[in-house]
Amino acid sequence: MTGAIISDQTGGPVRTLRPGAVLAVTCLALATVVSAMASLSVALPDVARETHANQTQLSWIIDSYSLIFASFLLFAATLGDRFGRRRALLGGVAVFGGVSLAATFTTEPGVLIALRAVLGVAAAFVMPATLSTITSTFPREQQARAISIWAGVAGASAALGLLASGLLLEAWSWRSVFWLNAVMAAVAFIGTYLFVPESAQPGRQRIDVTGAVLTVAGLGVLVYSVIEAPEHGWGSTRTLSGIAIGLAVLVAFVAWELRHPHPLLDPRLFRNKLFAAGSISTTLQFFAFFGFIFVTMQYLQLVRGDSALMAAVSVLPMSAAMIPSARLSPLLVARRGIRAPWTVGLVLVTTGLAVLAQLDAGSSYWLVVGGLLPLGAGMGLATTPATAAITDALPPRLQNVGSAVNDLSRELGGALGIAVLGSLMSAQYRDSLDTGGLPAPVAEAARSSLAAANHIGHATGNPALIDEARDAFASGMHLALLSGAATTVLAAVVITLLLRRTGKPGTDQEETPNSDTHRDTAKAAA
């Protein structure tokens, strides 16, 4: 791809466009924020030992980032569209790097949770700007290839982030993970400044602040209630009322968006079957995927006894299958239509999770590989058509909406996956662990997390407690991963039903009523 001279859309200087450099820089920025979602998972045992965080706090350390990331995506994408996607990238990676440095000095789980939440805000500005920059920079005929690379990076960054963190943890503490974040953010900032052109739509409609507040409030209350459920009980009044309030606020958000003249996200867009299919599939895929990472990295280290590096290396077969399948997916879509490779990918993900759900304390590593290979191949096959479905369903003027919805689906799915599957695992672990004969304070500490139970067992010379805790954790992981597999089965069913008459993207679009935006969507699909 050769360079071209373009004029900055916001009145800035004329610059030479180098699509290859733009793709490399945006993918680096994407990898920075995506890897941060999972890379700390490999350090959770170290974090638990040093900060004395319990299982619920560990869930919050991971999920505060994902939750805030998802909650602010639509609002941040709107600001980036209004004031410039390049500015959003620059500001986002700058804040991301600075807060990552601050996190290296913390020793309290509460402070770490808060800093991870701020990182989530910064990431919300970065991720939608990467995809919308690609779709606004590359010609239409080159977008499928660029998006497939973007999707491959998005999928593989989690696993590669785990590997990089494992390497760092061999020599340094868990704080080195945040140093890695800071270095990647600094390189992405320099690359964005040098190569990424500005693109924006200044002077559009006023920003929907009320919609943004409802999004943050609804998702926040919902995920908070799910994560805290193991502490208070799934059937407790506090848990059920919190879930009900969160869902009610999200319903209010939908009602508000339907009435607002310039919504953050027009719910009527989901009448477009391709758009709806891509959004639902992405949410459910990443629900299962990030829940799997949260659970499995603890299993590898605390149940199998692997080091951080060995645990990270252990999941590399997933990346080895994911990257080539993501590159193969556009070719299969072109030849067979969008539904077949997409559905096959979801079935493979389901198969991988079902295999991994059979793991216990004595399982062979070959059983781990037997689950990782179909999981990785399936994620690669399914992610690319799901992403393309969302972006292809909308005209160029709405690419920021498509980018934001795609990113929101990923991060919301990931946040809910960590919250729900982590909570299911934690609740099953607490219920399965037999602490009979232990003093009440010691028993409660052992039930708080597997890391705590291992520490108590070693400190008191009680190997039976360690074995019991590992079996209890494996039981919780079994429930969590089977629940994840059920969500990907649901995704496959939804795709099959929504796209039963669809071949290639754009062949089954429906016009959505009542605005120029909706007519633009239908016109572009036609």
Side-chain angles (χ1 to χ4, degrees):
M1 287 176 285
T2 59
I5 304 299
I6 63 169
S7 176
D8 192 301
Q9 295 180 22
T10 57
V14 174
R15 62 173 63 241
T16 300
L17 174 64
R18 296 181 175 88
V22 171
L23 182 61
V25 170
T26 53
C27 284
L28 174 61
L30 172 70
T32 300
V33 300
V34 172
S35 64
M37 191 172 184
S39 60
L40 198 60
S41 296
V42 76
L44 284 180
D46 288 346
V47 173
R49 283 189 288 267
E50 185 168 334
T51 67
H52 307 292
N54 59 34
Q55 191 66 47
T56 298
Q57 288 173 319
L58 291 177
S59 295
W60 272 117
I61 287 171
I62 300 299
D63 223 12
S64 60
Y65 176 79
S66 307
L67 171 61
I68 298 300
F69 196 164
S71 299
F72 277 87
L73 263 171
L74 291 175
F75 186 57
T78 301
L79 293 177
D81 180 57
R82 170 74 68 84
F83 299 109
R85 294 156 190 151
R86 180 173 181 265
R87 291 190 180 99
L89 273 173
L90 289 171
V93 294
V95 173
F96 195 93
V99 175
S100 294
L101 285 177
T104 64
F105 298 100
T106 186
T107 58
E108 298 293 329
V111 176
L112 190 56
I113 291 169
L115 290 175
R116 287 271 294 175
V118 178
L119 285 176
V121 175
F125 282 88
V126 173
M127 192 171 187
T130 60
L131 185 55
S132 56
T133 294
I134 289 172
T135 55
S136 63
T137 299
F138 283 78
R140 194 76 175 179
E141 62 273 12
Q142 296 178 359
Q143 284 184 17
R145 176 177 176 273
I147 289 174
S148 71
I149 294 173
W150 184 94
V153 171
S157 292
L160 296 178
L162 293 174
L163 176 61
S165 299
L167 287 168
L168 291 172
L169 290 169
E170 286 294 294
W172 296 289
S173 75
W174 57 267
R175 293 176 176 81
S176 60
V177 175
F178 289 101
W179 281 107
L180 175 62
N181 291 344
V183 171
M184 291 177 68
V187 176
F189 182 92
I190 295 171
T192 300
Y193 182 81
L194 293 176
F195 298 112
V196 175
E198 186 60 276
S199 61
Q201 292 176 313
R204 286 184 67 203
Q205 67 275 4
R206 60 188 177 89
I207 296 172
D208 181 14
V209 177
T210 301
V213 171
L214 289 173
T215 305
V216 174
L219 291 177
V221 173
L222 178 63
V223 175
Y224 175 84
S225 301
V226 171
I227 289 180
E228 294 291 326
E231 295 290 330
H232 307 289
W234 280 94
S236 68
T237 301
R238 178 170 178 172
T239 299
L240 294 178
S241 61
I243 292 174
I245 291 171
L247 291 175
V249 173
L250 292 176
V251 170
F253 165 74
V254 173
W256 172 264
E257 297 298 279
L258 286 171
R259 296 175 55 193
H260 197 278
H262 305 293
L264 283 178
L265 174 62
D266 190 340
R268 283 168 291 231
L269 289 174
F270 289 92
R271 292 179 181 175
N272 182 307
K273 291 183 179 180
L274 199 60
F275 185 85
S279 303
I280 294 170
S281 177
T282 301
T283 300
L284 296 179
Q285 286 171 231
F286 283 86
F287 176 98
F289 183 69
F290 279 104
F292 147 77
I293 288 180
F294 177 74
V295 171
T296 305
M297 294 312 298
Q298 296 181 72
Y299 164 80
L300 291 171
Q301 294 180 75
L302 297 175
V303 176
R304 287 181 58 87
D306 293 342
S307 66
L309 177 59
M310 184 57 67
V313 171
S314 294
V315 299
L316 282 182
M318 179 178 66
S319 296
M322 184 184 299
I323 294 174
S325 66
R327 298 299 302 275
L328 177 63
S329 185
L331 300 177
L332 294 177
V333 169
R335 292 182 179 180
R336 303 298 300 272
I338 194 170
R339 189 179 65 176
W342 194 346
T343 306
V344 169
L346 291 170
V347 171
L348 286 172
V349 172
T350 301
T351 302
L353 291 172
V355 171
L356 291 167
Q358 308 311 310
L359 293 170
D360 57 30
S363 295
S364 165
Y365 175 66
W366 291 111
L367 184 59
V368 178
V369 174
L372 291 176
L373 288 176
L375 175 60
M379 286 296 294
L381 280 177
T383 299
T384 299
T387 301
I390 295 172
T391 56
D392 286 353
L394 301 178
R397 64 176 292 189
L398 293 179
Q399 283 304 301
N400 67 303
V401 176
S403 300
V405 169
N406 180 72
D407 300 339
L408 174 63
S409 300
R410 286 170 176 269
E411 303 312 316
L412 178 59
L416 290 175
I418 293 169
V420 174
L421 300 187
S423 292
L424 288 175
M425 179 199 71
S426 180
Q428 181 71 10
Y429 168 77
R430 293 170 69 92
D431 292 343
S432 301
L433 182 60
D434 182 7
T435 55
L438 294 176
V442 177
E444 182 57 32
R447 283 195 296 268
S448 69
S449 71
L450 177 56
N454 280 344
H455 176 74
I456 293 169
H458 287 298
T460 60
N462 187 355
L465 174 62
I466 297 175
D467 292 338
E468 177 72 24
R470 290 176 176 175
D471 288 340
F473 187 92
S475 176
M477 184 177 71
H478 177 80
L479 174 62
L481 293 182
L482 284 182
S483 300
T487 64
T488 52
V489 168
L490 176 60
V493 171
V494 169
I495 298 310
T496 300
L497 293 176
L498 284 177
L499 305 184
R500 58 186 181 275
R501 293 187 303 274
T502 302
K504 297 181 181 180
T507 63
D508 190 18
Q509 307 301 316
E510 296 179 353
E511 184 171 354
T512 48
N514 300 329
S515 77
D516 292 339
T517 292
H518 304 141
R519 285 191 291 272
D520 283 347
T521 301
K523 183 178 178 181

